[in-house]
Amino acid sequence: MAAASGGREEGGSMAALARLQERLSELREEYFLANRSIDEDRKIKYRAAVKIQSWFRGCRVRAYLRHLNAMVILIQKWWRGYRCRKHFRKMLEIQKRWRGYYVRKYIHNYYALKKYLQAVSVNNAFVRSELQEYVEMKENEEKMKDLEKKEKEKKYQARKMHYLLSTEQIAGIYNSPFRKSPDPMELLLRNSKPLSHRRKQVKSPFAYELCDWPTCKKPPAFVTALPLPPIGRQKPQGPFRDTAEVLWQRYKPLEPTLRVAESINSPLEKAREGIKREEWRNPIHDNEFLPFSSYHKNENEKYEPSLCKSGKYVREAYGTKHFREVYPDKWIADKDFRTVVPSIFLFEKFGKTYSRAGQIV
Amino acid sequence: MVKNSQQRYSSANFISAEHLDFLHVLITWKSVVSLLRPLLLDVVPSVRQTAALGLGRLADYNVDLAEAVVKAGILPQLVRSLPEENRYYKKTAAFVLRAIAKHSPQLAQAVVQSGALETLVICLEDFDPGVKEGACWAFDYIARHNPELSQAVVEAGAVPLLVLCIQEPEIALKRIAASTLSDISKHSPELAQTVVDAGAIAHLAQMIPNPDAKLKRQVLSALSQIAKHSVDLAELVVEAEIFPVVLTCLKDSDEYVKKNGATLIREIAKHSPELSQLIVNSGGVAAVIDCIGRCRGTVRLPGIMMLGYVAAHSENLSMAVIVSKGIPPLCACLIEEHEDHIKAAAAWALGQIGRHTAEHARHVAGANVLPTLLDIYVDTRSSEDLKMKAKKALKNILQKCTHLPALEPLLHDAPPSIMKHIIGQFSKVLPHDSKARRLFVTTGGLKKVQEIKADPGSLLQEYINTINNCYPEEIVRFYSPGYSEILLERVESYQPVL
């Protein structure tokens, strides 16, 4: 501009000056405006730079803080773990001792086990001795039974052979004169009673028919009127009556007198009979009272209604159940008559003016 | 005339059926059955009875005859006519039914299908004890084949009547009723529960002190069949207060009473430690041990198994068995018995006793059991089962045994599979005990160990190394095989210092 004005100065320097001075105010304004915009630009840029830097610094600081935080956490973690482990070791020590004590005292109690085993062996010895006694007792019993059997055999033999007993004149087999004392068999023979003949078992005449009788075990016994006196019995010594006579008297049948034959309760009996007759007369029907109606049903008895119910004089349903007599046989058609002529309008409204409640169905 | 001839005919058949085992070649089977069949419908009751008896004896003798009787359709006739007849006929008819049912499940099924069960129940309600016995016996033979037939018997409502029969005074009836209950309850827990619900246990338990030996056999068998199924049933049986009365049965003179008594105690002991504890506390273990000591043969087997079960539950019970002097009879069993299954049971029981702790293993080893077990294991005549059980028992005992003098003799003849356990035990004990080390050397154990060839890296080699590390090198080298040759070579190559 200066060069241009300098260049033009030679040509029309006064005109140029005047022109310049005219444009001075504008120049000032332009200059001012230009500076201002630059200024503002700078300001904007400055602020942007500030922002960026602050943001960046903030990031760095935050990163640093985070790092610090992490370190702190690590140290705290480590320290707390250490403290707890120390504490834990002490706890563990206590628990170890406690568990050892508990197990030794209650679960695997050595001394209790020893005592128990001793008790078991004592009990075993006891049981063994008891069982031994039991066995011995059984053996004794068996021996006794055997001995008894033998004894019985011997006695039976002695009874059978009682005739071998020695007499005054003739010495028996078991009483040889060369012996100092008689044989034990001889003594047994002396003590034994001779065996009589066994009675023949009388076969009852009903035996072959028994197989037909399901539960009968003995033949039917026919009781005779008089039990006979025992045969061959010796007459008892003394002032006794004849046994047959006694038995006859004992088993004499009753012969009541007329007075005895007449019932002593006769008025009472007559009264009883009177009551019975009345009871028979009075009730409505003969069937006794049975608690449930089903008792009668099995007898297939038809129910007999009383006179009032069984005739045709029954209560009529007319007046209660229906009012008009209806003879469907006399009807011409099945359905009701339909009206051809319209009914009276007023009468149609009957019952419908206010509600349909009064409808006659 | 007709009646006489029929009677004679039926009695002739009766006799021939009796001697059937001599005449069976001559008799044509089918014709006999078809001849007897119309006689069953005869008018005279004794002819009917004899015909039924003849049929029963024929069916009893032979399976084919029984099948012929079934095929001839006699069963429905028999069953239908039963309720109206007298007690002799009922007895004979029950005999026929049982003779048929005893041969096989199919024949028993045929008997059931002909509707015999209801009629037999009617017979059970009869007053005559002989009829009841026949009916019980028939039920017994039907129920013993399989669970379905037992279920059919139970559903016919026989069980409460059987329990009533047990209470009758006749001994034969009691025996048969007890046997029937035993056969019904042996198949499944539900059937046993049905028998228990009818109240059988109390009556059976009451009959244990009875002097009759055959009755005791059946009663004990019934109780053991009930108790074997579950813990609850076993506890019910125990609650009937059978201990200590049952222990007297173990001293009975009859062998089978002892066997069944031991079976009952075994079935109770095997379920839980508490029940075993109960048996030990009542002295049952001592009684069983005595019983084992006295008897010979299969009678011992349930007693041996009972000891094994008791010892298996816990170490205290095992110690109780040891304290009651249980090991010597078991050892004697191992040596004396000829049957393999009894020996196997004894080996198993010893294994159960010795496997708990070192103390137990020491007691077992002290009775000189280990060499016997080893012999059995190595013996070629033993069966597979016996060998396996002996091996397992040996392993179990050896793994806990720290008593070295007992292990020494085994070193010399053990096969490799056992050797590694023995060496393992040595390698555990030797590092800690100097006296034992010395003994080991002097008894030649170290020498033996050096002679063992083991695969490098195997467990056996590790054990050997552990043992070798317990000793100074000179001794180990001294005892290694071929050392004398090495020394001689050194002698040969030695330059004498002049």
Side-chain angles (χ1 to χ4, degrees):
Chain A
M1 193 132 199
S5 66
R8 271 197 272 167
E9 235 179 275
E10 297 161 7
S13 56
M14 292 293 267
L17 197 65
R19 259 187 277 134
L20 220 63
Q21 275 179 343
E22 277 169 27
R23 286 170 67 195
L24 196 66
S25 50
E26 292 166 22
L27 274 172
R28 248 195 231 144
E29 233 176 277
E30 275 179 49
Y31 181 68
F32 173 67
L33 281 171
N35 275 350
R36 194 159 158 217
S37 66
I38 290 170
D39 210 345
E40 278 181 358
D41 252 347
R42 198 174 45 217
K43 278 202 177 118
I44 289 170
K45 283 187 182 137
Y46 172 71
R47 278 196 218 115
V50 165
K51 207 162 193 101
I52 290 173
Q53 282 176 5
S54 74
W55 184 76
F56 179 71
R57 284 193 186 129
C59 272
R60 261 199 16 205
V61 163
R62 271 194 289 275
Y64 180 58
L65 281 177
R66 231 182 313 190
H67 170 77
L68 277 183
N69 217 14
M71 291 297 114
V72 159
I73 286 174
L74 194 70
I75 293 174
Q76 283 178 353
K77 213 170 47 169
W78 199 79
W79 169 251
R80 283 183 191 146
Y82 169 72
R83 277 233 329 251
C84 281
R85 269 190 289 277
K86 223 171 54 170
H87 199 57
F88 177 71
R89 277 187 205 116
K90 284 196 217 126
M91 283 281 116
L92 197 65
E93 184 70 34
I94 297 176
Q95 282 177 6
K96 261 198 311 196
R97 287 183 196 268
W98 162 252
R99 282 185 190 134
Y101 165 75
Y102 185 74
V103 153
R104 270 189 289 276
K105 180 148 182 203
Y106 291 110
I107 301 177
H108 290 297
N109 191 347
Y110 178 68
Y111 299 104
L113 188 68
K114 254 175 87 164
K115 264 202 290 186
Y116 170 71
L117 287 172
Q118 270 173 3
V120 163
S121 28
V122 164
N123 191 22
N124 281 348
F126 175 67
V127 163
R128 279 181 173 133
S129 69
E130 292 262 299
L131 287 175
Q132 192 61 30
E133 275 178 30
Y134 171 78
V135 167
E136 277 163 20
M137 192 186 72
K138 278 263 138 133
E139 275 174 28
N140 277 347
E141 266 182 29
E142 280 205 31
K143 271 192 217 148
M144 293 295 297
K145 267 207 294 197
D146 274 338
L147 275 175
E148 268 182 30
K149 226 175 133 183
K150 280 194 197 127
E151 282 286 327
K152 237 177 115 179
E153 264 294 316
K154 264 191 170 172
K155 284 203 176 129
Y156 181 68
Q157 286 296 323
R159 279 185 80 184
K160 269 180 100 168
M161 302 193 296
H162 71 96
Y163 50 83
L164 293 174
L165 185 67
S166 59
T167 58
E168 289 281 339
Q169 289 288 333
I170 309 175
I173 311 176
Y174 295 112
N175 194 8
S176 161
F178 301 111
R179 285 171 69 97
K180 281 192 226 135
S181 66
D183 198 70
M185 194 64 184
E186 172 73 22
L187 297 167
L188 205 58
L189 284 172
R190 282 189 199 158
N191 287 336
S192 56
K193 202 172 97 167
L195 200 62
S196 56
H197 289 292
R198 224 179 342 161
R199 288 235 183 96
K200 257 177 101 174
Q201 298 255 340
V202 176
K203 206 164 182 214
S204 94
F206 303 100
Y208 65 86
E209 281 183 33
L210 269 183
C211 29
D212 287 341
W213 296 21
T215 48
C216 176
K217 291 199 183 183
K218 288 185 293 190
F222 296 114
V223 183
T224 50
L226 268 180
L228 302 167
I231 308 165
R233 202 154 154 218
Q234 283 175 348
K235 253 191 112 140
Q237 225 179 12
F240 295 113
R241 285 169 55 200
D242 188 24
T243 33
E245 228 184 274
V246 168
L247 288 173
W248 171 82
Q249 191 173 18
R250 201 186 288 175
Y251 293 114
K252 208 160 60 166
L254 182 66
E255 289 164 27
T257 57
L258 196 59
R259 183 176 172 275
V260 174
E262 177 88 5
S263 163
I264 55 170
N265 293 326
S266 54
L268 193 59
E269 267 190 37
K270 285 191 191 131
R272 281 203 188 122
E273 276 176 46
I275 293 173
K276 261 197 217 162
R277 248 182 274 124
E278 248 191 72
E279 273 187 68
W280 178 82
R281 201 173 55 212
N282 285 343
I284 306 167
H285 60 90
D286 280 333
N287 297 336
E288 60 180 6
F289 172 67
L290 289 169
F292 304 109
S293 60
S294 56
Y295 279 38
H296 284 297
K297 281 187 195 157
N298 294 336
E299 298 164 33
N300 295 334
E301 275 179 7
K302 245 180 90 96
Y303 173 62
E304 289 172 13
S306 65
L307 193 62
C308 304
K309 261 198 123 168
S310 53
K312 59 177 179 152
Y313 302 102
V314 292
R315 186 179 176 155
E316 280 277 332
Y318 185 80
T320 48
K321 295 257 168 69
H322 61 269
F323 297 95
R324 286 189 202 154
E325 289 188 347
V326 159
Y327 299 108
D329 306 333
K330 295 190 181 167
W331 287 354
I332 305 167
D334 297 336
K335 299 186 231 166
D336 279 344
F337 292 127
R338 273 180 306 148
T339 48
V340 175
V341 173
S343 54
I344 303 171
F345 175 68
L346 195 62
F347 291 171
E348 289 291 323
K349 279 211 231 160
F350 172 67
K352 288 185 208 162
T353 22
Y354 297 106
S355 67
R356 290 170 64 96
Q359 283 271 349
I360 296 171
V361 177
Chain B
M1 180 66 179
V2 173
K3 168 182 160 179
N4 278 341
S5 69
Q6 275 175 332
Q7 254 180 333
R8 263 187 276 129
Y9 193 33
S10 70
S11 49
N13 266 325
F14 175 76
I15 295 169
S16 73
E18 250 187 322
H19 300 289
L20 194 60
D21 43 343
F22 301 112
L23 299 172
H24 70 277
V25 179
L26 302 172
I27 294 179
T28 54
W29 295 344
K30 292 200 180 70
S31 63
V32 165
V33 172
S34 54
L35 281 172
L36 279 175
R37 190 179 163 179
L39 288 179
L40 268 182
L41 300 163
D42 198 276
V43 174
V44 181
S46 51
V47 172
R48 287 202 293 268
Q49 206 177 301
T50 328
L53 192 58
L55 273 172
R57 290 201 178 159
L58 284 171
D60 193 38
Y61 174 69
N62 194 318
V63 187
D64 298 324
L65 281 171
E67 275 175 21
V69 170
V70 169
K71 274 202 204 110
I74 292 179
L75 283 177
Q77 168 58 35
L78 208 62
V79 163
R80 244 180 298 141
S81 62
L82 231 169
E84 295 107 36
E85 296 278 0
N86 63 43
R87 63 197 166 114
Y88 297 98
Y89 188 81
K90 280 187 190 165
K91 252 204 283 199
T92 342
F95 168 57
V96 174
L97 290 170
R98 96 163 178 256
I100 295 176
K102 89 171 182 203
H103 293 287
S104 80
Q106 289 79 23
L107 285 170
Q109 186 64 36
V111 169
V112 168
Q113 268 163 356
S114 65
L117 289 178
E118 285 79 23
T119 13
L120 284 173
V121 168
I122 295 175
C123 285
L124 260 187
E125 291 172 337
D126 199 277
F127 290 112
D128 182 51
V131 174
K132 282 201 249 213
E133 191 184 328
C136 274
W137 217 331
F139 275 130
D140 189 5
Y141 280 174
I142 292 175
R144 77 167 48 158
H145 293 290
N146 62 38
E148 288 81 30
L149 288 166
S150 286
Q151 187 62 37
V153 168
V154 166
E155 274 164 18
V159 174
L161 293 166
L162 285 169
V163 174
L164 277 176
C165 281
I166 280 197
Q167 302 165 34
E168 296 277 330
E170 289 84 17
I171 292 264
L173 184 54
K174 281 205 234 242
R175 273 187 219 146
I176 282 298
S179 162
T180 316
L181 286 173
S182 156
D183 281 331
I184 290 177
S185 45
K186 80 180 178 198
H187 295 288
S188 85
E190 292 81 27
L191 289 164
Q193 189 62 46
T194 324
V195 171
V196 166
D197 288 337
I201 293 188
H203 299 112
L204 288 170
Q206 273 169 16
M207 290 199 286
I208 295 182
N210 196 300
D212 186 52
K214 290 193 180 154
L215 176 61
K216 272 199 270 209
R217 276 190 218 170
Q218 302 299 343
V219 163
L220 290 170
S221 151
L223 284 171
S224 61
Q225 302 288 8
I226 293 176
K228 82 178 182 192
H229 293 288
S230 80
V231 187
D232 302 314
L233 288 168
E235 280 177 5
L236 277 173
V237 172
V238 166
E239 273 166 29
E241 287 172 27
I242 49 172
F243 288 103
V245 181
V246 154
L247 303 180
T248 57
C249 295
L250 289 173
K251 290 283 187 182
D252 202 87
S253 43
D254 189 61
E255 294 287 315
Y256 286 100
V257 173
K258 282 195 244 199
K259 185 174 180 200
N260 287 351
T263 315
L264 173 59
I265 302 183
R266 170 190 88 192
E267 300 297 351
I268 294 178
K270 82 179 185 195
H271 289 291
S272 82
E274 288 82 23
L275 286 168
S276 301
Q277 185 77 54
L278 185 95
I279 294 176
V280 168
N281 289 350
S282 62
V285 171
V288 169
I289 290 173
D290 281 351
C291 177
I292 295 179
R294 300 260 166 83
C295 309
R296 300 277 170 271
T298 41
V299 180
R300 278 178 171 179
L301 184 61
I304 298 175
M305 290 180 74
M306 180 254 177
L307 288 177
Y309 281 126
V310 167
H313 283 298
S314 89
E315 51 183 52
N316 295 348
L317 289 169
S318 175
M319 203 44 152
V321 171
I322 295 177
V323 157
S324 322
K325 307 189 191 70
I327 302 183
L330 286 174
C331 202
C333 262
L334 262 185
I335 298 174
E336 292 167 359
E337 289 291 333
H338 304 293
E339 302 268 317
D340 272 355
H341 58 272
I342 306 180
K343 282 207 236 193
W348 170 77
L350 282 166
Q352 295 302 324
I353 294 178
R355 76 180 166 101
H356 297 280
T357 71
E359 271 295 311
H360 299 85
R362 190 169 62 84
H363 282 286
V364 172
N368 209 18
V369 159
L370 296 175
T372 328
L373 279 175
L374 195 63
D375 285 335
I376 292 177
Y377 175 57
V378 170
D379 194 352
T380 44
R381 290 170 304 169
S382 325
S383 63
E384 274 306 305
D385 180 53
L386 177 57
K387 280 198 192 171
M388 222 180 55
K389 290 223 162 78
K391 177 169 178 222
K392 260 188 148 175
L394 263 181
K395 253 178 66 171
N396 285 338
I397 299 175
L398 284 173
Q399 273 166 353
K400 297 282 176 175
C401 184
T402 52
H403 189 229
L404 296 179
L407 291 178
E408 297 279 356
L410 292 177
L411 256 186
H412 298 280
D413 2 271
S417 47
I418 305 286
M419 188 63 86
K420 77 171 174 238
H421 295 291
I422 304 176
I423 303 285
Q425 285 302 109
F426 275 113
S427 70
K428 283 184 203 153
V429 177
L430 284 178
H432 307 285
D433 192 357
S434 59
K435 282 230 179 69
R437 285 200 282 267
R438 192 192 165 99
L439 262 175
F440 191 53
V441 172
T442 48
T443 52
L446 192 58
K447 178 163 188 201
K448 187 73 177 60
V449 167
Q450 301 309 317
E451 284 165 16
I452 298 174
K453 288 188 190 30
D455 307 321
S458 73
L459 213 54
L460 192 54
Q461 188 60 36
E462 278 179 40
Y463 292 147
I464 295 179
N465 289 344
T466 328
I467 294 178
N468 288 344
N469 292 342
C470 300
Y471 289 97
E473 228 186 284
E474 292 96 18
I475 284 241
V476 174
R477 240 185 294 149
F478 180 71
Y479 277 115
S480 46
Y483 187 64
S484 45
E485 276 88 40
I486 299 173
L487 274 180
L488 284 173
E489 267 175 44
R490 273 186 68 185
V491 164
E492 273 179 23
S493 53
Y494 187 66
Q495 303 283 351
V497 176
L498 289 165

